[in-house]
Amino acid sequence: MRVWGVLTAAGSGSRLGAEVPKALVSCGGRTLLGLALERLLAVRDLTGVVVTCPEGLEGLFQETAAAELGPRELVSVTFVAGGASRQASVKAGLEQIRDRRNLLREETGESFVEDEDGEVLDIVLVHDAARCLAPTSLMEDLVEAVESGAEGVLPGLPVVDTVKQIYIDDSGRQIVTHTPDRGLLRLAQTPQAFNFDRLLDLHLFAEGRAASEATAATDDAALLEEAGGTVEVIEGSPEAFKVTTPLDLERLAAALGEPEAGLPT
Ligand code: CTP
Ligand code: MG
């Protein structure tokens, strides 16, 4: 088995409103990029990671990660330009892994055969730099679920609020249609784990939607769901919360024991 990682970090972080791309925002001397990468690189059986960066900033992202983690930590990490949506960025990362995997196949003659079809099982973890404290143990649990045969697996948290489904009427009012049973709702997190080839196929098939965030899938599991595949949920982690707004940065600072950190005001 080989495990690969795609770390999406190509977003601008418009809702956070920092002067730098969200992944480069620091908290107590650590960037979201460095924190997320460090946890991902510690995953057992990890072969390589691709980080998707805002176009033109691949070098800066690489330098930042090297300064924070040490250049030796980055031997298996490549930095590529992301795309116009998260979905497009993930696809760019998967294609980079495909190329590296083909090289590896040539080099090794695929000597470490594992599954019943004579193929090495390649598993990919797709993760957001914005969920920079997601623990390595959670990532390994996801990998294990795919290794045991799951098509796609994600961490999910129970919903504590009552949720209302609405529609918007002609005058723009939000009208409640019903109250879903929240016992059956989950908040989806990343990383999400898949069989590499399956996920790459799904991305190639859905490429037409990736040109803008408005049409793109918001996560990778959605592509598998829409294709009729089975997505499993395992228990999520409160540490895998997403940094989206300045308030989330305060949560990050508190989690890192840096109560004074946050965006400069
Ligand atoms: N992402 C990406 N490529 C994009 C858009 C987003 O790689 N074109 C990444 C982000 O860097 C982030 C993850 O996807 O790690 C989740 O996206 P989100 O939290 O929405 O981050 P941003 O898109 O940067 O933030 P915003 O939507 O507020 O602009
Ligand atoms: Mg976004």
Side-chain angles (χ1 to χ4, degrees), residues 8-15 22 52 83-86 89 128-130 213 242:
T8 68
S12 63
S14 55
R15 288 168 288 179
K22 183 158 74 179
T52 71
S85 64
R86 181 187 180 280
S89 293
D128 296 330
E213 214 66 85
K242 185 155 78 81

Side-chain angles (χ1 to χ4, degrees), residues 108-155:
T108 61
E110 204 68 297
S111 52
F112 40 108
V113 164
E114 275 190 15
D115 76 3
E116 62 279 8
D117 305 319
E119 291 279 323
V120 173
L121 176 61
D122 282 288
I123 294 175
V124 64
L125 283 164
V126 183
H127 187 32
D128 296 330
R131 296 185 187 272
C132 58
L133 295 186
T136 304
S137 58
L138 175 67
M139 303 180 191
E140 291 179 342
D141 290 347
L142 293 157
V143 167
E144 206 176 293
V146 176
E147 204 184 352
S148 313
E151 280 187 274
V153 196
L154 62 86

Side-chain angles (χ1 to χ4, degrees), residues 76-92:
S76 66
V77 185
T78 50
F79 294 79
V80 302
S85 64
R86 181 187 180 280
Q87 184 188 324
S89 293
V90 173
K91 177 170 166 283

Side-chain angles (χ1 to χ4, degrees), residues 4 29 70 72 100 108 116 130 132 142 144 166 174-175 177 220:
W4 302 90
R72 264 181 302 151
R100 281 170 71 182
T108 61
E116 62 279 8
C132 58
L142 293 157
E144 206 176 293
I166 58 145
Q174 300 179 32
I175 309 295
T177 56
D220 299 275

Side-chain angles (χ1 to χ4, degrees), residues 32 53 128 208:
L32 273 63
C53 314
D128 296 330

Side-chain angles (χ1 to χ4, degrees), residues 4-258:
W4 302 90
V6 173
L7 186 66
T8 68
S12 63
S14 55
R15 288 168 288 179
L16 189 60
E19 276 164 14
V20 293
K22 183 158 74 179
L24 297 188
V25 168
S26 5
C27 191
R30 300 295 313 270
T31 62
L32 273 63
L33 171 68
L35 289 163
L37 194 52
E38 179 178 58
R39 285 158 178 74
L40 185 54
L41 286 171
V43 168
R44 214 181 306 124
D45 294 321
L46 191 86
T47 300
V49 170
V50 181
V51 179
T52 71
C53 314
E55 197 167 357
L57 296 186
E58 299 92 315
L60 175 62
F61 272 51
Q62 178 154 24
E63 284 160 25
T64 304
E68 199 170 324
L69 306 182
R72 264 181 302 151
E73 282 297 305
L74 298 187
V75 285
S76 66
V77 185
T78 50
F79 294 79
V80 302
S85 64
R86 181 187 180 280
Q87 184 188 324
S89 293
V90 173
K91 177 170 166 283
L94 294 172
E95 287 176 326
Q96 216 281 335
I97 291 173
R98 177 190 57 199
D99 296 346
R100 281 170 71 182
R101 196 179 57 154
N102 288 342
L103 264 180
L104 202 63
R105 274 191 173 152
E106 282 169 26
E107 281 169 20
T108 61
E110 204 68 297
S111 52
F112 40 108
V113 164
E114 275 190 15
D115 76 3
E116 62 279 8
D117 305 319
E119 291 279 323
V120 173
L121 176 61
D122 282 288
I123 294 175
V124 64
L125 283 164
V126 183
H127 187 32
D128 296 330
R131 296 185 187 272
C132 58
L133 295 186
T136 304
S137 58
L138 175 67
M139 303 180 191
E140 291 179 342
D141 290 347
L142 293 157
V143 167
E144 206 176 293
V146 176
E147 204 184 352
S148 313
E151 280 187 274
V153 196
L154 62 86
L157 288 180
V159 175
V160 293
D161 292 319
T162 296
V163 177
K164 301 293 180 187
Q165 173 81 49
I166 58 145
Y167 72 94
I168 298 176
D169 76 6
D170 292 343
S171 51
R173 290 186 309 161
Q174 300 179 32
I175 309 295
V176 172
T177 56
H178 70 287
T179 306
D181 175 3
R182 75 172 174 212
L184 293 175
L185 295 175
R186 294 292 179 269
L187 298 171
Q189 302 180 316
T190 72
Q192 300 184 350
F194 306 87
N195 174 297
F196 175 83
D197 291 297
R198 185 79 206 273
L199 188 65
L200 178 61
D201 283 349
L202 289 166
H203 272 272
L204 293 173
F205 181 75
E207 187 175 12
R209 297 170 55 184
S212 105
E213 214 66 85
T215 50
T218 59
D219 69 359
D220 299 275
L223 295 177
L224 181 56
E225 293 153 33
E226 288 165 25
T230 303
V231 177
E232 291 179 30
V233 179
I234 65 168
E235 195 175 331
S237 165
E239 290 173 281
F241 72 92
K242 185 155 78 81
V243 174
T244 307
T245 65
L247 196 61
D248 299 321
L249 214 50
E250 286 178 27
R251 181 173 177 185
L252 176 62
L256 291 172
E258 292 281 342

